[in-house]
Structure formats: C-alpha cells, structure tokens
Amino acid sequence: MEYAVQGTLDELGTPLEQITFVVFDLETTGVSAGEHAITEIGAVKVRGGEVLGEFGTLVDPGSPIPPFISVLTGITDAMVVAAPKIESVLPSFLEFAEGSTLVAHNAGFDLSFVKAACAALGYPPPAHPVVDTVVLARRLLTRDEAPNCKLSTLARIFSKTEPCHRALADARATVDVLHALLERAGSFGVHTLEELKGFVRAPTEEQRRKRHLADGVPTGPGVYVFEDERGDPLYVGKSTNLRNRVRSYFTAGETRPRIREMVGIAERVRTIICATPLEAEVRELRLIGSAKPRYNRRSRFPEKMVWLKLTEEPFPRLSVVREVKDDGAGYLGPFGSVRAAEDARTALHETIPLRRCTERITPRTGRPACALAGIGKCGAPCEGRQSVEEYGLHVTAARRAMELDAAAVFSAIEARMERLSLEQRYEEAAADRDRLASYIRVSARMQRLRALTSLPQMVAAAPLPSGGWEIHVVRHGRLASAGVMPRGAHPTPFVDALVATAETVVPGPGPVPAASAEETECVLRWLESPGVRLVQVEGGWSLPIGGAGRLKARIDRAYQASEPHRPREGRPLR
C-alpha cells in the first residue's frame, strides 16, 4: 500500500515576495568581455516590491573610452579619471549582491563582464540564481503588446524611469519591468522562484497538444513546412535531421513567442526529403521566397533587393533601382535596403564627380548648373563644360570602383574620416564610416557572387563520414542537381548521370543571373567548407586582384563592437 506524503515548505519553493533580487546594469567600453572594460555599475536591491538599497559607481576602465561610447552614455574620460578601479569596486558589488537572485536585461552580456572581472582578480564566478528580463518578456508578452523586448521599449510600457545608458537609471527601469512581468507571470500560476524558472523553460499547452504533428516525420536532411488547416504554409525550415528538428518545436527548448504562436495554429507538417544538406538549404530559400510564410522573417522578399545602377546614357548617373536589365549598364548590389544603396552612392559621389541630377542630359540639351558645380563636386556637363569623352573618364572610374577596384573610394573616404575625427566631428565621421561600409561590403559580396555566377557549370564533391561523397552541380551560381555517391561507386558514371539530369539554367542579366543572391551564397559557403573538391569547372573561378574583399576585413574590425542592444564603437579602420 502506498501512502501520500505531505510536501514540506521547502518542496513548495520560495515565494517570489520573499526573494531578494539585485537588479543590475553595466556600462562598458565595448561588447567583448575579453577585450573591453566596465565603466559603471548600477544595482538596486528589492524584496517584496520594496527597494532595500542601491549601489552605483563609476569605474576607471584603465583605458580611453571610445568617443562614440561617450556620446551614447555621457561617460567621459574626465569623469572616470578619479573613479575607483574594478579591483576596488568588484568586492563591494559582490558583497551587495550576496545571497540574492541577480536580475539583468540581457543578463548574459552583463554577467560575462562580471565573470571576466572575477576571473582576472581571482574571485570565484557568481553562483547566484539569475533572471533575465529579456527572456521573461519574450515568454509573457505578445508582439501586439511590445514590438520588441528592448529595455527602452518595455520601460515605456511599464516604467516611469527612462533608460539613458547610465547604469543606475537603467537598473531602476529594469526593476519596474521586472515587477510588471512578475505580476503578469502570477496569472499563469507562477508564485515561486522555482516555478518562475520552470515557466520560462516549460512548453506551452498548445505545444504539448500538437506533439502528434511530429509523428511519422522521417530522419535525414530535408525541408519541413508547417501548414494551417487550409494547407497554407505558416513556416518553412530545413534540417539535417528532420525528425529531431520538428520534434524540438514541441519541447521547452522552443521559447520564441512567435514560433509558439505558429505551433498553436499549425495543423500538419509536410516534409521534403533532400539528398544533401545544401539541397535542403536551397529548397528552403526557394520555398520561403515563393510561398512567403507569414512566420518566416528572413528571405521572404528576395525581389525587394535593390541595386545601384550606372545608367546607360551620354552622361550616366548613379540610380537606385529594383530591377536588373540587360541594357549594358553597370550594377552594384544587391543591397538589403534603399538606404544602404543610397549610402554606397554617397560614398562613390564623394570620390568620383558624377552628376547627381536626375534629368536626362545630351550634348545638345543644357540647363544652368547647380551648386555642386560651384564647389567642385560636378563638372557641369549640363552647361556643356564637359564633353561626353571628358565625362566618360569619370564613368570609367565609377564602373571600375563598382566592379573591380575599391581602393580609390576607400582611401578617399578614410582620409575624410581622419580629418573629421581630428576636428572632433565624430558624428559626421561615423556617417562616412557607415556609407563606406555599405559600399565595401556590397562590392565585396557582388565580386564574390559574380566569380561563381560567371561559370556555366561547376561540379564539386565533399567527403562523407560514411565514405561516400556529396556531389553538387552548380550552373551560373544556381544549384542544378544534388546527389550522394555511395562508397566504392565509380565516380565518372555517377557524375555524368548527375550532370545529365541537372536542371537546365538559362542565365539572365546582372551579377546574379540565375538564382537569388542568398542561394548563391549558400553554394559558396559549401564550396569553401573543408574537404570540398572541384570535379569539373567550365571557365575560370577568380576574384579581381584589387577587389573589395581585401578591404572588408578592415571595415568589419571597425564594427566588432556592434550588438543589437549596444552602441557601435567608433573604431578606426586600421
């Protein structure tokens, strides 16, 4: 006979009103805990909705604060020169937080700096329970209530304190957000710290109820499509193991509110078996682009990519367009937005004096020159000051900068940035940096794409752990065929059969003539992965020697301090 045993109070968990929370926030010189340092710590200790104490101090980071961090936070080198170093601050903060549950907005970021400081000074890493208000907000709020989970967004809804990138003010705002979220969690039966942890990780009732949708899903690589009761696609994804991936949508591991909502609507899961993971990745992109499932965010509108066009007329100009035509014009792209294309156009205009007016000009038509001619930014072909041949020198330079050699634009913009920085005109220098980044990144991308799309056919193979080979046929950057050659099979007839049955690809105009840029980039990533061997190549696969790829690394280093929730650090391009 079994007897029921009454649970102890400990087993019931610790009520949230009895938990001491230390809500904290840091300001830093960057986003890497290994490379950057803390400049300010702010913390608020609360229990049962009552503030028990506050902790706030500036911290001398031991190195200059980047100018753009100072602009964002208001913390300058002069403010921290007399501040204590982290060696003095850290013990006090750890004592303030002793015995508490730590709370932060995007806690992983702030804790990484605390742990790095503990490791550097010989303290054990914090072993406190942790509550992340970002994760909690994603679990409790719908997109109708909050379009995103940034602290500034949540504070506008739940707090009278406006976050301002100062540690103590941001911690106070996070306290209000925490209390509002805990009150919301109470309606879900969450009353203890243990229940709170389980609530964040637990699958929803809809997820548990829909687990049967994963029954019968095969293993192996492929594409899965969640469909509603009418058979319309809700979400498209890919995986190297379809069964495991689809099952994960019905477990506690799936915490995205948008996807949990999708699971509640879904009535079936359709699968498409693929020969290789690359084929699955490409099929996913094509399905998303054609069906445009409403729960997919990425890759839904490849047709909305924009291009920078060097027009084909007597006096060409740079124009932002959405369509690539077979008209002999020069193109740069694709760009993800009109603004990015305009930034790249501005970078080119700063270097090459092309006209910026939109009217069509011929040698026999004219009009008065604009102010740009007066400041040397345009040669005024509209007034007949430049012939077609003279203006053509600038057109040749622009086409070369767009397609072959980015050095001239890079050097000119870099020199301008250095001058602006010396004059402490940091915001203007940052704007130039962003324009240069748009130009260099897209130029490097296009040159990389064009190197592959110019090839009529390429056959490549990658070894499998089982001893066989993945083989793909690529035509003009488009995946035309995929197959797996078993171990011990003769390669020649297998490759010949794969090529014979591959999709016929008729290229169109432009740098990506047969597939989306994303698809060609998927193929390129696979081609550059370890162990891939080229079997057949029609044409020469090469990049221009003066291409933008060699400059992109310098641009990327200038943005290493970029995070969605943190400011960009204004680093030099060297």
Side-chain angles (χ1 to χ4, degrees):
M1 179 181 295
E2 295 183 0
Y3 296 91
V5 179
Q6 181 176 349
T8 65
L9 291 177
D10 289 339
E11 290 173 331
L12 296 177
T14 309
L16 290 172
E17 62 266 21
Q18 297 178 15
I19 298 294
T20 300
F21 295 104
V22 169
V23 184
F24 76 104
D25 183 73
L26 306 180
E27 298 302 328
T28 66
T29 61
V31 300
S32 171
E35 299 179 9
H36 303 115
I38 297 170
T39 58
E40 188 176 32
I41 300 179
V44 181
K45 183 181 292 185
V46 295
R47 183 173 62 238
E50 180 182 353
V51 175
L52 305 180
E54 292 186 341
F55 178 96
T57 179
L58 291 167
V59 181
D60 181 2
S63 61
I65 299 175
F68 294 101
I69 298 294
S70 294
V71 169
L72 183 88
T73 66
I75 301 173
T76 64
D77 290 329
M79 293 171 62
V80 299
V81 68
K85 292 186 178 294
I86 192 64
E87 292 88 339
S88 303
V89 174
L90 183 64
S92 301
F93 173 71
L94 294 176
E95 182 180 354
F96 181 80
E98 185 176 359
S100 69
T101 293
L102 292 176
V103 180
H105 199 73
N106 201 356
F109 173 85
D110 299 280
L111 281 173
S112 68
F113 276 86
V114 174
K115 291 177 180 178
C118 288
L121 299 175
Y123 291 95
H128 305 65
V130 177
V131 173
D132 191 333
T133 48
V134 170
V135 176
L136 193 57
R138 288 173 179 165
R139 182 72 171 86
L140 289 166
L141 303 178
T142 66
R143 291 188 66 83
D144 292 336
E145 296 174 285
N148 57 61
C149 292
K150 295 178 181 178
L151 180 59
S152 57
T153 302
L154 299 181
R156 283 195 293 270
I157 301 172
F158 299 121
S159 176
K160 295 181 180 179
T161 302
E162 183 178 353
C164 58
H165 293 290
R166 291 300 302 268
L168 189 55
D170 287 8
R172 289 168 177 163
T174 306
V175 168
D176 294 336
V177 171
L178 173 68
H179 286 157
L181 294 176
L182 292 181
E183 183 179 352
R184 181 74 62 90
S187 63
F188 290 88
V190 176
H191 302 292
T192 68
L193 181 62
E194 291 74 16
E195 288 172 343
L196 183 66
K197 292 179 180 178
F199 173 74
V200 171
R201 297 190 300 265
T204 64
E205 179 59 34
E206 285 289 350
Q207 284 177 297
R208 289 192 289 266
R209 188 171 62 84
K210 295 293 183 69
R211 283 175 177 168
H212 68 278
L213 297 182
D215 295 344
V217 173
T219 59
V223 176
Y224 55 91
V225 183
F226 281 86
E227 298 177 338
D228 62 16
E229 59 183 5
R230 297 180 302 178
D232 295 333
L234 297 170
Y235 185 83
V236 177
K238 56 94 176 49
S239 178
T240 57
N241 188 315
L242 286 170
R243 179 179 297 172
N244 290 347
R245 184 67 187 101
V246 172
R247 283 179 173 176
S248 72
Y249 283 87
F250 309 100
T251 67
E254 181 50 75
T255 60
R256 293 171 291 176
R258 185 177 178 84
I259 298 303
R260 286 185 168 190
E261 178 184 296
M262 180 276 297
V263 169
I265 301 173
E267 291 297 329
R268 66 186 65 85
V269 178
R270 177 167 59 91
T271 58
I272 303 170
I273 300 296
C274 298
T276 67
L278 176 60
E279 183 190 0
E281 190 172 2
V282 167
R283 284 185 178 272
E284 177 199 33
L285 285 173
R286 294 178 186 175
L287 275 171
I288 293 173
S290 61
K292 297 179 176 28
R294 65 179 183 269
Y295 286 95
N296 282 95
R297 290 183 174 175
R298 294 179 63 251
S299 311
R300 288 178 64 196
F301 301 102
E303 67 277 5
K304 288 189 176 181
M305 292 291 184
V306 296
W307 298 80
L308 194 58
K309 177 180 180 179
L310 184 61
T311 59
E312 186 69 15
E313 53 183 311
F315 297 99
R317 59 187 176 86
L318 292 171
S319 177
V320 177
V321 299
R322 292 194 178 275
E323 184 181 359
V324 175
K325 298 180 179 179
D326 190 9
D327 54 4
Y331 289 91
L332 177 64
F335 294 87
S337 67
V338 171
R339 180 175 178 178
E342 290 175 343
D343 281 347
R345 177 169 61 182
T346 301
L348 284 162
H349 277 152
E350 288 293 335
T351 310
I352 303 167
L354 294 174
R355 68 183 184 95
R356 306 186 192 185
C357 52
T358 57
E359 294 86 351
R360 183 175 178 85
I361 299 174
T362 70
R364 288 193 290 268
T365 61
R367 62 176 181 77
C370 63
L372 291 173
I375 60 175
K377 295 289 187 181
C378 178
C382 53
E383 283 190 342
R385 299 187 202 174
Q386 281 182 319
S387 65
V388 173
E389 292 74 20
E390 290 170 332
Y391 189 84
L393 297 176
H394 302 315
V395 175
T396 300
R399 188 181 288 269
R400 180 175 178 81
M402 293 169 69
E403 298 179 357
L404 297 174
D405 192 349
V409 177
F410 188 95
S411 299
I413 300 296
E414 185 181 35
R416 175 180 159 87
M417 288 174 58
E418 289 179 351
R419 177 174 59 81
L420 291 171
S421 296
L422 289 173
E423 297 172 1
Q424 297 186 357
R425 295 159 64 183
Y426 298 122
E427 291 186 3
E428 293 176 66
D432 275 342
R433 178 198 60 185
D434 292 342
R435 292 166 185 152
L436 182 59
S438 292
Y439 163 69
I440 291 293
R441 286 173 171 167
V442 169
S443 183
R445 182 191 190 196
M446 187 185 77
Q447 290 165 5
R448 192 164 167 266
L449 291 171
R450 178 172 270 159
L452 183 61
T453 60
S454 63
L455 303 179
Q457 180 170 290
M458 171 188 286
V459 182
L464 294 171
S466 61
W469 291 82
E470 289 181 354
I471 301 180
H472 296 106
V473 179
V474 180
R475 291 173 174 167
H476 296 287
R478 181 180 180 87
L479 182 64
S481 185
V484 174
M485 186 178 73
R487 182 176 184 176
H490 196 287
T492 300
F494 187 91
V495 169
D496 290 345
L498 203 61
V499 169
T501 57
E503 176 187 358
T504 298
V505 176
V506 179
V512 281
S516 69
E518 276 193 275
E519 175 175 334
T520 302
E521 285 177 324
C522 288
V523 174
L524 279 167
R525 283 194 298 271
W526 179 81
L527 287 169
E528 294 166 353
S529 59
V532 172
R533 301 182 186 181
L534 300 183
V535 179
Q536 298 175 5
V537 179
E538 293 183 17
W541 188 23
S542 62
L543 289 168
I545 193 170
R550 61 194 176 94
L551 301 170
K552 182 175 177 295
R554 292 170 65 181
I555 288 289
D556 291 341
R557 283 198 298 272
Y559 284 90
Q560 281 178 351
S562 296
E563 285 285 318
H565 66 290
R566 291 288 170 176
R568 293 174 177 172
E569 178 185 347
R571 292 188 165 190
L573 298 179
R574 291 189 176 83

